[in-house]
Amino acid sequence: MTTQQAPGVHPTESPPEAAPMRRIPARTACLTAAVLLASLTGSPGPAAARDLPDTYVVSRAPGVLPEGIAITRDGTMYVSSDGTGALYRGRVGRPDLKPFPARGLEDRPSSLGVHTDRRGRILSVGGATLTVHDRQGRLLATRTAAAGPLGAPHLNDLVVTDDAVYATDWANPVVHRALIRGGTLGPLEPWLDIRSAFPQFPAQYWLLNGIVADESGTTLLVASNGTEAVWRIDTADRTVGRLDLGEQSFGADGMVLHGRTLYAVLNYVAPHGVYIARLDEELRTGTVTHRLTDEPFTLPTTLARHGCRLYVVNSQLNEPPGRPPYTVSAIADPTCDTP
């Protein structure tokens, strides 16, 4: 892959007129002023459930490269493949996942973010498409994102609220939205060009990653690896501000928001691992309280929370196609008693 140096950043992607961009998980774009996160000592967490596996095998087939993860309330686990576009399904009580027969993904070579809604439907994104499947793998809907200011979209992650699905675009500084009406998903349309929050930053290096929403769906948090920051968006008026974590650098990949606790996977600048922050009531400021970086993660990309455990995807995307087996690691959540 060719790269082109830009002022103040270390790019991971080619400019729009070059060959199609490929998402590089090392996220090697950052502000020149960015500095390493200060070392933070995390308190020990509760012991992991002894009757549950510590490691889950997504696949033993070559080239799978897992990327996204979702776990339903009943413990059903879905993992996406950046390498093949397939989805895998398993249970938190069993160590092995199996291919999920999701129809309609044959032409999507990469699947990244995956989530479920309250009806048990499985939503995932990759390339330009958002797909919705039922539990049997039947394709219920496909929505295609329009090109952005820099060209073709490359959808990275998504979040489902009561009335909409929001998706980030790795290739454009754009958040897309599809409204939900009566359980029906509307068209996927450009909703917010986030450049207004930081207009002097080069458009091609925003590199939008994880996205989460509060329970009411009125506030979004969007990770931008290029700016090394998490951005807070008010869905009513689309105002954007930087989440103040008291650090110069917090370029997260995947994230989970549980109440006022933000779980984020970092895989660039800071040591690889899970970072946990406690936020204020308005989700405007917060303090990083834990960093879980001593686990044997292999380029972690995102995570899910279920019970008192965190499930972290080991993507191996730093050395594609990696080496089977491709796994998810389960670790204790040190904030288990925090609402």
Side-chain angles (χ1 to χ4, degrees):
M1 180 189 70
T2 59
T3 59
Q4 178 177 323
Q5 189 72 23
V9 296
H10 302 290
T12 61
E13 300 186 315
S14 302
E17 65 272 14
M21 291 182 287
R22 172 172 172 77
R23 176 176 171 277
I24 303 299
R27 316 302 205 238
T28 54
C30 64
L31 298 174
T32 48
V35 297
L36 292 174
L37 287 170
S39 296
L40 297 165
T41 303
S43 59
R50 295 181 180 178
D51 57 343
L52 295 176
D54 293 326
T55 300
Y56 297 82
V57 175
V58 178
S59 177
R60 292 180 172 83
V64 166
L65 299 172
E67 209 279 348
I69 186 171
I71 302 178
T72 65
R73 291 184 179 181
D74 70 359
T76 302
M77 180 187 304
Y78 295 92
V79 175
S80 63
S81 167
D82 190 8
T84 68
L87 298 178
Y88 293 82
R89 181 170 63 186
R91 300 278 300 176
V92 295
R94 300 175 183 176
D96 293 289
L97 282 71
K98 297 180 180 179
F100 175 56
R103 298 174 178 85
L105 296 182
E106 298 81 7
D107 295 329
R108 190 167 82 187
S110 173
S111 291
L112 301 180
V114 57
H115 287 274
T116 59
D117 66 10
R118 294 179 179 177
R119 301 185 179 203
R121 297 177 295 191
I122 301 93
L123 298 89
S124 61
V125 294
T129 63
L130 160 66
T131 56
V132 184
H133 292 86
D134 67 12
R135 294 184 183 93
Q136 288 71 47
R138 290 188 292 260
L139 181 63
L140 303 178
T142 299
R143 300 292 182 263
T144 301
L150 302 181
H154 193 154
L155 302 182
N156 189 306
D157 198 8
L158 72 156
V159 65
V160 185
T161 68
D162 287 340
D163 60 3
V165 176
Y166 298 89
T168 56
D169 191 335
W170 172 255
N172 293 277
V174 173
V175 177
H176 303 264
R177 183 183 71 173
L179 292 174
I180 301 172
R181 293 289 183 266
T184 300
L185 190 66
L188 186 61
E189 300 175 327
W191 177 72
L192 174 67
D193 188 324
I194 202 169
R195 288 178 292 178
S196 62
F198 193 0
Q200 64 268 40
F201 191 78
Q204 65 269 40
Y205 301 125
W206 272 86
L207 309 177
L208 300 184
N209 295 325
I211 182 171
V212 293
D214 65 355
E215 292 183 4
S216 66
T218 59
T219 301
L220 306 178
L221 297 178
V222 174
S224 163
N225 200 231
T227 62
E228 286 293 314
V230 175
W231 298 87
R232 180 190 184 279
I233 303 171
D234 188 313
T235 59
D237 59 14
R238 309 187 199 189
T239 55
V240 184
R242 181 170 179 166
L243 174 64
D244 182 3
L245 293 173
E247 301 290 342
Q248 290 295 112
S249 175
F250 200 86
D253 194 338
M255 302 186 297
V256 167
L257 182 63
H258 177 66
R260 292 166 50 198
T261 302
L262 178 67
Y263 304 83
V265 169
L266 272 66
N267 51 32
Y268 175 67
V269 179
H272 295 181
V274 177
Y275 291 69
I276 305 175
R278 184 65 174 169
L279 308 185
D280 71 341
E281 292 184 0
E282 295 186 343
L283 309 183
R284 297 181 185 276
T285 65
T287 301
V288 178
T289 59
H290 301 80
R291 64 171 192 171
L292 310 178
T293 59
D294 294 332
E295 303 292 335
F297 299 129
T298 308
L299 207 288
T301 48
T302 192
L303 76 165
R305 181 182 183 275
H306 187 264
C308 286
R309 305 215 301 170
L310 304 175
Y311 296 77
V312 184
V313 177
N314 295 304
S315 72
Q316 300 193 47
L317 282 164
N318 54 330
E319 295 183 355
R323 180 179 300 177
Y326 303 95
T327 64
V328 169
S329 295
I331 61 174
D333 180 356
T335 71
C336 187
D337 296 328
T338 302

